Amino acid sequence: MADDSGNQPPVPDGLPVLGNTLDFIRSPMSFIGKLPKHGDVVRCEFPMIRAVALFHPEDIRTVLLADQQTYRRWNFDQLRKMGGYDFAPEGLAFTEGEKWRNQRRHLQSMFGLDRLHGYADTMVEHTERVLKQWEDGAEIALNHAFSELSLAVLTHSLFDFDMRERGEPIIRATETLNDRAQLGGRNAVEFLLPSWIPTPGHARYREAMDDFDTVVDELITERRANPVGYDDLLARMLATESDSDYTMSDAEIHDQMLAFLFAGHETTATTLTFTWLLLSTHPEKRKRLDAEIEDVLGGAPPSPERLDALTYTEQVIKEALRLYPPAAMLFRKNLTETEIGGHTVPANSTILLPQFVVHTDERWYDDPQTFRPERWDSRRERPEYAYFPFGGGGHHCIGMRFAMMELKHVIPIIAQRVDFELLSTPDPAVQMEMTLQPTEDIRARVTKRSSRY
Ligand code: HEM
């Protein structure tokens, strides 16, 4: 350990000047996963960034619940502006202060229970559609199949438009952005270069995002010309002009659409992928899930009124989110010098809150690496922020209920109709992109269940 004197958090050994950069770039998740052996508050040395990782739920709670004058969201500015493209600067996921507060208040009404229930039919309809595409015996990549499904559900529910018509630029933009956001490997070199240097990666990204912008702008223009009969997020944003309390410009609406598509798409898709990976490799859990679904739904698709009774289904989802948290790590910045866990953290440090490490800490979870949905029905006491897949405090996920509702619709319908025989490894390598992603496709063979459905 290089320097753990005084009140400073300990720091792992590193190289002169570069500090821990190479270890981090080689494998960010493995580097961060090993930090807790130095303590609950650990400093990492990089040439341009002073980072401090937190591993104790109480410290995480303090940071997430603090006011925005003390801890701000770290805004991925470098990443957002790569290739000279400024990604959704006015989107809810990136704004700050008064602007963010007004947007959040305004958009929150779209995610109330009443409104969410209106999305249920769309969730069922798209899941049925995807199931029809799968032939008995077909080999599919679960990650691609669920990415397509969750994008269709999201775009249909929030913007009432059919992905099949204009999905290509959106899918390409999502893939390019995910690729850009990969923290380690070759991207790290481009990440460290100024964004105006015309690398092939920057050019590809720019082109994909420009095409994406065109689709979003067309949608806004078409809707302005023909606004009648829609009751989705886009309609609500456009209607702000007649709402005296808050008005959104076209540029802001455009950014909100980008922010919601990116925040809501791969997060849910990843959860579906890993839930089915886990269920395919744990037949006894799958059996219990099937029994609950038969008991509660008796062969019918889920509906909002019956979701509360799907308690084991919910535990399965919670456990998948524990083991494979899509956001993987949250970021904050302290605007003033702060004291965390008995250590002094200088102002403007990047604070890392690694869900993927905290969620598997033996202090809070027995047998932490094991998929055991039943752990959620015990009354075992654990600190609240030992589990925070949807974040916490003011910026907690605005789409959490939407996502849970989607998962509780899609998973039972799929369970009613098919089995997956996993063809890939049961323990795939993962990496942090925009969301946690498998490094290789997760392949499975579909077997249709012979049943009454
Ligand atoms: C399983 C699915 C999801 C997970 C695990 C997830 C996770 C998260 C997390 C951890 C945050 C907080 C980030 C931070 O504090 O830095 C967040 C914020 C956000 N999420 Fe989600 N999310 C999911 C689904 C969705 C969906 C479906 C939508 C949209 C319909 C959405 C929209 C957003 C937005 C707009 C924010 C920013 C909120 C703000 O800053 O006020 N998310 N999400």
Side-chain angles (χ1 to χ4, degrees):
M1 222 181 289
D3 169 20
D4 60 351
S5 58
N7 225 5
Q8 290 279 315
V11 56
D13 286 335
L15 296 170
V17 186
L18 287 176
N20 306 118
T21 310
L22 291 186
D23 285 339
F24 180 80
I25 286 177
R26 224 172 270 133
S27 173
M29 292 186 77
S30 140
F31 171 73
I32 289 166
K34 288 183 197 141
L35 293 180
K37 68 177 178 222
H38 302 285
D40 276 330
V41 184
V42 185
R43 196 152 48 99
C44 317
E45 304 241 294
F46 306 118
M48 310 284 284
I49 299 172
R50 185 172 38 227
V52 174
L54 305 184
F55 298 100
H56 198 287
E58 283 311 321
D59 296 333
I60 290 167
R61 180 176 190 278
T62 303
V63 170
L64 287 179
L65 300 191
D67 61 66
Q68 294 188 357
Q69 271 67 51
T70 314
Y71 291 100
R72 279 255 162 111
R73 187 164 46 183
W74 183 67
N75 257 344
F76 306 96
D77 280 347
Q78 171 89 349
L79 205 60
R80 281 198 312 107
K81 294 180 186 170
M82 252 201 298
Y85 177 90
D86 194 358
F87 182 84
E90 293 199 67
L92 182 70
F94 303 110
T95 49
E96 299 284 0
E98 203 47 32
K99 175 99 181 164
W100 165 79
R101 237 184 311 279
N102 283 334
Q103 290 181 333
R104 176 99 194 188
R105 203 175 37 236
H106 189 72
L107 293 167
Q108 192 81 49
S109 62
M110 286 305 292
F111 294 91
L113 271 187
D114 284 0
R115 198 169 282 265
L116 288 183
H117 287 177
Y119 301 136
D121 289 348
T122 301
M123 292 169 179
V124 173
E125 185 191 311
H126 280 286
T127 314
E128 305 269 5
R129 178 180 60 76
V130 165
L131 274 163
K132 278 202 192 100
Q133 291 168 359
W134 295 343
E135 303 281 335
D136 192 35
E139 278 184 36
I140 61 166
L142 293 179
N143 44 321
H144 292 301
F146 290 129
S147 176
E148 193 258 325
L149 172 59
S150 93
L151 188 57
V153 169
L154 192 67
T155 49
H156 212 121
S157 310
L158 300 182
F159 312 119
D160 207 347
F161 100 108
D162 191 337
M163 274 303 300
R164 279 158 294 181
E165 286 164 19
R166 282 191 268 206
E168 207 275 325
I170 296 187
I171 290 168
R172 198 155 59 89
T174 314
E175 285 172 357
T176 321
L177 194 82
N178 255 332
D179 191 45
R180 300 278 67 208
Q182 215 173 296
L183 281 178
R186 68 185 161 79
N187 274 345
V189 180
E190 283 193 356
F191 182 62
L192 297 172
L193 290 173
S195 62
W196 48 263
I197 293 183
T199 67
H202 284 164
R204 253 195 323 275
Y205 173 63
R206 183 75 216 224
E207 195 189 322
M209 296 315 289
D210 284 346
D211 288 352
F212 185 17
D213 278 348
T214 307
V215 171
V216 173
D217 287 339
E218 276 170 12
L219 275 172
I220 296 174
T221 310
E222 282 169 23
R223 191 62 78 76
R224 272 209 191 284
N226 185 14
V228 181
Y230 292 97
D231 185 27
D232 53 13
L233 186 70
L234 180 54
R236 167 102 192 130
M237 290 192 287
L238 289 168
T240 54
E241 278 163 20
S242 49
D243 266 357
S244 53
D245 70 329
Y246 192 70
T247 302
M248 283 192 190
S249 64
D250 272 12
E252 185 176 342
I253 293 173
H254 168 277
D255 284 0
Q256 297 301 2
M257 292 179 74
L258 255 65
F260 274 85
L261 279 173
F262 281 106
H265 167 211
E266 282 295 344
T267 41
T268 314
T270 301
T271 311
L272 285 168
T273 300
F274 287 116
T275 302
W276 280 107
L277 169 83
L278 290 163
L279 285 169
S280 314
T281 48
H282 294 81
E284 71 293 0
K285 312 294 180 201
R286 169 71 198 265
K287 232 173 159 173
R288 188 167 163 195
L289 180 81
D290 287 343
E292 173 178 275
I293 292 168
E294 175 62 29
D295 195 36
V296 175
L297 303 174
S303 58
E305 305 74 47
R306 298 205 217 167
L307 295 189
D308 281 351
L310 293 171
T311 50
Y312 189 69
T313 311
E314 184 157 324
Q315 289 171 0
V316 165
I317 297 166
K318 276 187 91 168
E319 186 68 345
L321 285 167
R322 181 181 73 83
L323 288 169
Y324 294 101
M329 184 156 77
L330 306 188
F331 299 85
R332 292 293 186 271
K333 188 179 263 299
N334 58 340
L335 300 187
T336 54
E337 182 181 283
T338 44
E339 178 94 359
I340 309 180
H343 294 283
T344 303
V345 177
N348 292 319
S349 299
T350 300
I351 314 286
L352 312 178
L353 310 174
Q355 299 173 331
F356 72 97
V357 183
V358 180
H359 284 189
T360 51
D361 187 325
E362 283 178 341
R363 287 176 291 181
W364 329 117
Y365 298 97
D366 304 326
D367 203 2
Q369 301 297 341
T370 303
F371 175 61
R372 200 194 300 148
E374 294 75 12
R375 72 173 79 243
W376 295 104
D377 58 24
S378 80
R379 293 265 169 266
R380 185 188 155 142
E381 290 284 314
R382 58 173 73 86
E384 188 183 357
Y385 281 85
Y387 183 74
F388 58 115
F390 292 100
H395 287 293
H396 76 268
C397 179
I398 197 171
M400 178 178 78
R401 282 189 185 155
F402 181 96
M404 286 306 287
M405 186 169 141
E406 178 174 347
L407 294 164
K408 285 178 89 175
H409 275 81
V410 173
I411 291 167
I413 301 175
I414 289 182
Q416 286 169 332
R417 309 293 180 80
V418 298
D419 288 315
F420 292 120
E421 179 200 340
L422 192 68
L423 303 172
S424 315
T425 166
D427 189 16
V430 291
Q431 63 195 10
M432 280 190 281
E433 299 181 8
M434 276 295 283
T435 54
L436 192 72
Q437 290 290 328
T439 52
E440 306 276 337
D441 284 350
I442 297 185
R443 305 202 62 81
R445 180 171 293 111
V446 178
T447 311
K448 299 240 173 180
R449 293 189 147 190
S450 49
S451 70
R452 57 199 145 106
Y453 311 123

